[in-house]
Amino acid sequence: MPSAYLVGARLRTARAERDGVGALPGQRRAASTLIGVGLAAAVPAAAAGWADWAELRHRQMRVGLVHAAANVTGVGLYAGSITARVRGRTALGKALGFAGLAVVGLGGAIGGHLAYRQASGANHAAVVPELVKPGWHDIGEVADFPVGRAVRRHVDDVAVLVVRESGNRVHILADSCSHMGGPLSQGAIDDGCVRCPWHGSVFRLQDGWNVRGPATAPQPAFETRITGGHVEARLLSTEAAGTADASHDAA
C-alpha cells in the first residue's frame, strides 16, 4: 500500500535518531533532512491511499480510516519534530520524532492487517493456478453457451466465465475479478472484453489482459477446444501468458 513507503521513511528517520545522527559534528541536519523527506513523501502517499480507500468494501473502509488517522497523527508529530529542531529545541524534536515513530508504526501494523488479513489491494485471482488440475476439463456442450452471452461454469473448484463467439470460438477466464473478486460473469461483454460489474475493470477475453483498471493484474485465462460437441478447457500456462503479455506490450 502507498502508506508503506511513509512508514519506511519514518523508520529510517527514527533509526537516525537512535544512532545519534545529528549529535555528530557535521551531521546535525541529517535527522531533520530525513524527516523533511518523509513529510514530503506523505503527500503523494496519502493521495494514492485515498484513491485505493475509495474502492474498498465497507468493512475494509473502517479499518482504512483508522490506518489513515494513525498516519495523519504521525505526520503531525513529525511536523512538530522538525519545527522544534528548526527552533533549536532538539530534545523536544527528538521526543516528538520517537512519538511519531510509535504512532506510524501502529498505523503500519493496521495497514498490514488491512492488506494481509482483509486482502485489500491483493490479487484475488492469484490462487487459481493452485486450484486447477493440469490437463483438459469438460465444461459442457457447445449448445449450453449462447453466442455473445456470459455463462458461469466451474473448472475443478474454480468458477469461470465462458463466452462463445460466432464460429464456435470460446473464451474462458476465471470468474472472480483480480481486483476485488467481483463476478465477471455478471459483467457486460463488449468488443472482445468483459467489464467487471463492481468497479469497472476491463479484461480482454482472449488472454485475460487487464485493458483498464482499477485492476492491476491480468485475469487467469484458459485454452479451449471443442471435442465431440463439448467445450474443454485447460489453464493457460505461465509461459504462454507471459508471451501474450509481451506481445501486447510490443503492440
Side-chain angles (χ1 to χ4, degrees):
M1 296 181 67
S3 58
Y5 178 78
L6 177 62
V7 172
R10 302 297 178 272
L11 289 174
R12 288 193 296 274
T13 301
R15 191 175 298 115
E17 297 282 11
R18 182 198 65 195
D19 294 341
V21 175
L24 299 177
Q27 295 185 341
R28 295 184 180 277
R29 296 182 180 178
S32 296
T33 300
L34 284 172
I35 293 174
V37 171
L39 290 174
V43 177
W50 183 268
D52 287 343
W53 178 85
E55 295 173 350
L56 298 178
R57 298 175 181 173
H58 184 70
R59 180 170 61 91
Q60 295 170 324
M61 281 185 164
R62 292 198 304 267
V63 178
L65 284 175
V66 178
H67 171 65
N71 283 335
V72 169
T73 302
V75 167
L77 288 169
Y78 271 101
S81 174
I82 198 170
T83 300
R85 292 167 186 276
V86 170
R87 294 178 177 177
R89 304 178 66 181
T90 304
L92 176 60
K94 288 184 177 182
L96 290 174
F98 279 115
L101 170 64
V103 174
V104 173
L106 175 62
I110 296 172
H113 174 81
L114 184 63
Y116 294 105
R117 183 70 174 180
Q118 296 187 331
S120 170
N123 179 357
H124 289 256
V127 71
V128 169
E130 308 300 325
L131 299 178
V132 175
K133 297 177 182 178
W136 292 97
H137 303 261
D138 183 78
I139 305 299
E141 296 183 3
V142 175
D144 293 338
F145 307 105
V147 174
R149 289 182 56 187
V151 178
R152 190 173 189 263
R153 287 290 186 272
H154 283 82
V155 175
D156 289 335
D157 293 328
V158 176
V160 295
L161 158 74
V162 183
V163 178
R164 178 164 71 101
E165 295 182 341
S166 58
N168 282 344
R169 185 176 184 182
V170 181
H171 302 295
I172 299 180
L173 302 179
D175 189 46
S176 182
C177 178
S178 63
H179 174 231
M180 289 292 290
L184 296 184
S185 56
Q186 297 179 20
I189 306 297
D190 182 52
D191 195 25
C193 297
V194 58
R195 179 186 300 274
C196 179
W198 283 9
H199 301 104
S201 296
V202 177
F203 301 94
R204 194 165 57 195
L205 292 171
Q206 179 180 353
D207 54 14
W209 180 260
N210 48 313
V211 177
R212 188 176 306 124
T216 59
Q219 203 66 10
F222 291 76
E223 298 177 75
T224 63
R225 69 182 183 185
I226 296 177
T227 303
H230 282 246
V231 177
E232 296 182 343
R234 68 177 178 186
L235 189 66
L236 191 65
S237 66
T238 303
E239 293 77 8
T243 301
D245 292 351
S247 300
H248 178 272
D249 292 339

